[in-house]
Amino acid sequence: MLINIFFAELKGQMLYKEYLPHLRLRKYVECYWKFVIAPATNDADAAPLNHIFPPDGSCTLLFLSMASFHHKGMVFVGPTTVIKEIPVFANSITIGVRLKPGCSPWLNKVDVGTIINNAIQYQPYDINEWQQDFLQQLSLDFDEPQVLDNILLKIEATSGFEPDDRVLKAVDFIIAGNGQVTLPEIAAASCASPRQLQRVFTTQTGISIKQFCQLRRLRKAIIDLHVQHRTYPEMVTDRGFADQAHYYKSFKNVAGYDIRKFIGYIGQIEHIMV
């Protein structure tokens, strides 16, 4: 099986990989991603694993295939503001469409404020035709984001959904600055007053501007350390922390999680990121 060969080359059992969507879709979608766990080689590997994932403040549409259980399904995840743990299994793949904050109504009309740090499990009768088709072709070897591009470009052409331009500009500015931007700077980039922007941003994304900035700064610090393998002195200097202890304290305050436990887990995952 190709996935076994691939993981053998990576010398690991878990892979996280991101893909950029088609240029026209980047208005709504930050990235596609996949998380794959290789088939179990022994009984111990077959036991469920507590997957630990950091918050990103975004809504994500998930497609899940668990080959060992012959199960495929969908979940819509609300904005995450703290680190979460979920059980995952060997021989499985999850594909995520990470929507930009403020764009969740494009793929799900639920009030985003009601699903913060929560998720909606799709029932079989909730899954529409294009979603069923994508699930049917989903396998551990999936590596073709163009399939999602083709589907979502058709939706983009017919949905009529338009995100609030002020929120979209704020989100893009915060992402580009890795959260290390001020409210006056964000407001100026969004062509809105700080007070007006704060109100509309929270209403449409479910989280505050301050929260989103903190989450993006934390995300970049994690990438610096555990994906790009930069040193702590390099990271704290670039991310604006006073020192390593300040980063640890900020991690706990923002993510609400034991950093030692997180570090022990994330090192087991091979990352390929955009």
Side-chain angles (χ1 to χ4, degrees):
M1 190 177 183
L2 290 177
I3 196 71
N4 283 330
I5 297 171
F6 187 59
F7 273 101
E9 292 173 349
L10 292 176
K11 299 180 181 179
Q13 291 296 310
M14 295 183 286
L15 169 70
Y16 173 85
K17 182 177 181 179
E18 291 183 350
Y19 310 85
L20 282 175
H22 187 281
L23 190 61
R24 227 169 70 203
L25 297 172
R26 295 180 197 178
K27 182 176 183 178
Y28 315 96
V29 180
E30 182 182 352
C31 71
Y32 309 135
W33 56 262
K34 72 176 180 182
F35 178 63
V36 189
I37 306 180
T41 56
N42 54 57
D43 291 342
D45 291 340
L49 171 74
N50 274 340
H51 175 51
I52 303 168
F53 62 94
D56 55 36
S58 302
C59 289
T60 301
L61 181 62
L62 300 182
F63 299 88
L64 173 65
S65 176
M66 296 188 291
S68 297
F69 300 95
H70 306 288
H71 171 78
K72 295 187 177 185
M74 286 178 55
V75 179
F76 191 78
V77 180
T80 50
T81 62
V82 294
I83 281 183
K84 305 284 285 183
E85 290 186 16
I86 57 170
V88 293
F89 295 85
N91 204 23
S92 67
I93 180 171
T94 304
I95 298 292
V97 179
R98 183 184 298 144
L99 296 162
K100 289 185 176 180
C103 292
S104 62
W106 187 50
L107 295 182
N108 192 302
K109 303 298 183 184
V110 67
D111 178 359
V112 68
T114 66
I115 56 170
I116 296 173
N117 294 316
N118 214 329
I120 299 171
Q121 181 80 43
Y122 283 66
Q123 300 302 316
Y125 50 78
D126 293 325
I127 301 176
N128 63 33
E129 185 176 356
W130 77 261
Q131 294 162 347
Q132 288 278 14
D133 289 344
F134 182 71
L135 280 172
Q136 288 306 311
Q137 59 184 303
L138 184 57
S139 69
L140 262 68
D141 298 311
F142 177 84
D143 201 35
E144 298 179 1
Q146 298 83 3
V147 174
L148 281 170
D149 279 343
N150 294 337
I151 293 169
L152 295 181
L153 283 168
K154 292 178 182 178
I155 294 175
E156 186 266 343
T158 59
S159 72
F161 170 74
E162 280 295 328
D164 189 298
D165 192 55
R166 296 164 297 179
V167 173
L168 202 59
K169 286 178 178 177
V171 167
D172 286 342
F173 188 75
I174 293 168
I175 290 175
N178 295 311
Q180 294 170 256
V181 288
T182 66
L183 178 58
E185 290 171 336
I186 301 166
S190 306
C191 303
S193 71
R195 184 174 180 180
Q196 178 191 51
L197 182 63
Q198 285 179 304
R199 177 179 53 79
V200 71
F201 190 98
T202 301
T203 299
Q204 297 196 19
T205 70
I207 62 175
S208 69
I209 291 174
K210 180 180 179 180
Q211 276 183 300
F212 191 55
C213 286
Q214 289 175 329
L215 294 172
R216 295 305 301 200
R217 182 190 186 202
L218 178 65
R219 171 182 166 80
K220 182 56 177 169
I222 291 170
I223 292 171
D224 283 351
L225 291 172
H226 306 293
V227 178
Q228 298 177 344
H229 304 294
R230 304 184 71 196
T231 66
Y232 272 99
E234 289 173 330
M235 184 279 290
V236 297
T237 298
D238 287 351
R239 301 302 139 228
F241 298 105
D243 51 30
Q244 186 172 334
H246 181 207
Y247 166 65
Y248 281 4
K249 183 177 180 179
S250 296
F251 186 101
K252 177 66 175 178
N253 290 341
V254 174
Y257 199 82
D258 183 345
I259 191 169
R260 292 166 299 182
K261 188 175 179 182
F262 176 74
I263 291 172
Y265 176 75
I266 195 172
Q268 302 176 52
I269 304 171
E270 187 75 24
H271 289 81
I272 304 174
M273 303 183 71
V274 297

